[in-house]
Amino acid sequence: MIPTVDVVAAKLREICVLYPDLCRTSRVGYSRLGEPLDMLSIGDGREHALVIGGPHANEPVGFLTVLRLARLLCEGERHGFTWHLIGCVDPDGARLNEGWYAGPFTVAHHHRHFYRPALADQPEWTFPVSTGAKHFDRPLPETRALMRVIDDLRPAFLFSLHNADFGGAYFQISRRLPGLADELATLAVSHGVPLDLAPIDTIGYEVAGPGVTLLPSADWTDFADSCDGKPTYGASSWQYADRHGTFTLIAEVPLWTSPGCDDRAPAGVSERRLLEEATVRLRHEIAPIARLREATGPAFTSPFHAAVDDTLDVCDRLIAAMKRAARQATATRSVSRAEAGGIRDTVRRLSLRTAGMFVRLLDEEPSAEPALHMEARAVLHRLSAAAQTEVVTPDDPLTRIVEIQTRAALITATHLRRAVRRAARPIRS
């Protein structure tokens, strides 16, 4: 099971007590609701590595990775770095997901207790950005805390502990290191997790190897402007840390794998048809929730209010983007199974998140009409049941995610130290 926010904090304090000569803690800030943000520092290396747990409220598996990694670092695998670990950077949001931490890890249970804040309420997506026509300068308190940490440490290595819901494993790195991409890909496959060769999150990114892409600069930030032209969110931690020359790694490992995510074979559907079908499916699946949400009116004040509205807005913008892409796409090129799966995973993900959070919105509003609640639950049940038949549930998804993330951190640290040694070698004539 995944530890709660309180348990993570307590266990990190215990590690500090067990290894007093190696460890120290510091308070780096507070959340919007006044939760303390503490950081555990381990070792005394010249270079700094920063590990961020829970960058998104619905991605808490990294809590386990932080605890496992901290133990290993204290036992000696520090690779010349001083390591700094923040157990959870968004405790307010993470607490609203704790209902699914103990399992069972089914699609239905997960989304019945799911919460992901609106983009403007996510610490990981509210770093300041001012590039081209994109301007955002409303960092959250948690984001400002991370900004101070990054500016103080100027870390050589930043590892943000994400986990995916559907698809396969994929990695994002901020620059090439010889051999790293191949080693990361091998790591995932060796633990029985297929690589995701076409996740929609990385469309257009430069490919460093199978399942590994290069992170873009801040001017790539998509969906930064809403339909009315006002900025909805900003840059991410990797883009902010780039000013210090920081190497960033993101390791996305799913709770459920999607058949075909690693298959480059033709899917038997053209790019145009795939996009047209995805547009129709997403519009059809969110339509009942959009109608029910409109029927509830604006008076609801649940924390899920903004989250549902924002997710519906993202759906609308994705539908518009896919329609534009379909008009430009060829009707003859057959997409791969991986490409088709990436689009279908995204449609599945957004419709389930919308339905799940809307049910929770109604849970917290005593004035909600029972008929609305019943219909919303029926939509969520239908979507969950369909998704469960389309994905593969591993026997122990948490262990696989933690092991891959932990080894990815140590592998990357090794490659970074090699790069430093190569750069320091004298040139022989």
Side-chain angles (χ1 to χ4, degrees):
M1 64 182 290
I2 299 168
T4 65
V5 172
D6 290 336
V7 169
V8 173
K11 286 187 175 295
L12 288 176
R13 289 194 297 269
E14 288 175 8
I15 291 172
C16 195
V17 171
L18 288 172
Y19 298 91
D21 295 335
L22 279 175
C23 299
R24 57 210 174 274
T25 59
S26 56
R27 182 145 298 169
V28 299
Y30 292 88
S31 74
R32 283 156 287 170
L33 296 180
E35 294 263 7
L37 303 176
D38 292 339
M39 182 169 73
L40 174 67
S41 299
I42 303 172
D44 57 358
R46 292 183 58 187
E47 300 284 358
H48 297 276
L50 175 61
V51 180
I52 301 172
H56 295 302
N58 61 297
E59 299 179 10
V61 184
F63 298 171
L64 288 165
T65 305
V66 165
L67 297 175
R68 173 163 168 70
L69 188 56
R71 293 277 186 176
L72 291 175
L73 295 172
C74 288
E75 291 167 3
E77 287 199 62
R78 294 188 291 280
H79 300 277
F81 288 92
T82 297
W83 291 77
H84 308 270
L85 300 93
I86 299 176
C88 177
V89 77
D90 185 10
D92 301 346
R95 288 189 186 282
L96 293 176
N97 279 281
E98 289 182 348
W100 63 266
Y101 286 9
F105 295 104
T106 63
V107 174
H109 185 74
H110 178 79
H111 289 90
R112 185 63 182 85
H113 301 277
F114 181 92
Y115 173 69
R116 185 174 175 111
L119 287 165
D121 295 327
Q122 295 184 30
E124 177 67 356
W125 276 122
T126 54
F127 285 80
V129 58
S130 181
T131 176
K134 297 173 183 176
H135 301 278
F136 182 92
D137 192 19
R138 296 196 306 275
L140 301 172
E142 300 91 335
T143 311
R144 289 196 294 270
L146 282 178
M147 290 165 62
R148 289 191 297 270
V149 169
I150 290 169
D151 289 336
D152 288 345
L153 296 177
R154 302 171 67 91
F157 178 25
L158 171 64
F159 188 20
S160 187
L161 294 170
H162 296 252
N163 65 266
D165 37 22
F166 308 115
Y170 62 99
F171 303 87
Q172 300 173 73
I173 56 178
S174 55
R175 64 178 182 270
R176 296 178 187 271
L177 289 176
L180 176 61
D182 289 342
E183 198 164 347
L184 291 173
T186 300
L187 171 67
V189 174
S190 70
H191 284 83
V193 181
L195 293 174
D196 199 330
L197 299 183
I200 196 171
D201 287 354
T202 64
I203 288 179
Y205 289 14
E206 185 178 348
V207 175
V212 185
T213 55
L214 297 181
L215 287 163
S217 60
D219 58 4
W220 185 277
T221 304
D222 58 352
F223 289 165
D225 295 327
S226 63
C227 296
D228 60 6
K230 296 179 180 179
T232 55
Y233 69 99
S236 189
S237 56
W238 82 77
Q239 293 159 330
Y240 186 82
D242 191 56
R243 68 192 61 200
H244 300 300
T246 301
F247 180 91
T248 295
L249 167 68
I250 295 174
E252 297 269 12
V253 191
L255 288 165
W256 300 277
T257 58
S258 301
C261 65
D262 59 345
D263 191 348
R264 298 187 191 276
V269 61
S270 72
E271 183 180 15
R272 180 181 299 173
R273 184 176 176 186
L274 170 67
L275 290 167
E276 289 173 344
E277 289 177 348
T279 300
V280 170
R281 178 174 174 178
L282 181 56
R283 186 189 296 115
H284 172 74
E285 290 184 350
I286 66 168
I289 300 300
R291 173 176 52 79
L292 293 171
R293 171 68 191 92
E294 196 170 310
T296 62
F300 285 50
T301 57
S302 158
F304 298 94
H305 180 281
V308 170
D309 289 350
D310 185 78
T311 308
L312 285 169
D313 184 54
V314 169
C315 290
D316 288 341
R317 283 181 279 145
L318 180 58
I319 287 170
M322 290 194 297
K323 288 176 67 175
R324 289 193 300 270
R327 288 194 294 268
Q328 299 169 1
T330 173
T332 56
R333 184 182 81 85
S334 177
V335 299
S336 67
R337 291 189 67 203
E339 290 174 288
I343 296 292
R344 290 164 181 161
D345 281 342
T346 300
V347 170
R348 179 188 301 118
R349 177 184 305 117
L350 287 173
S351 59
L352 279 164
R353 289 179 177 183
T354 306
M357 289 193 292
F358 184 68
V359 170
R360 294 192 68 183
L361 185 154
L362 295 177
D363 287 343
E364 298 195 0
E365 295 295 339
S367 61
E369 295 182 16
L372 293 180
H373 211 162
M374 185 178 299
E375 186 175 354
R377 289 198 301 269
V379 171
L380 177 59
H381 175 77
R382 182 174 69 250
L383 293 173
S384 299
Q388 195 70 63
T389 66
E390 296 168 343
V391 299
V392 177
T393 304
D395 291 335
D396 189 359
L398 301 184
T399 297
R400 296 203 312 185
I401 294 172
V402 171
E403 185 61 22
I404 291 171
Q405 288 185 335
T406 302
R407 299 318 306 176
L410 299 175
I411 287 168
T412 302
T414 300
H415 279 268
L416 286 169
R417 296 305 299 166
R418 287 175 187 164
V420 169
R421 287 196 294 270
R422 283 194 297 267
R425 285 176 188 162
I427 299 175
R428 299 180 183 273
S429 57

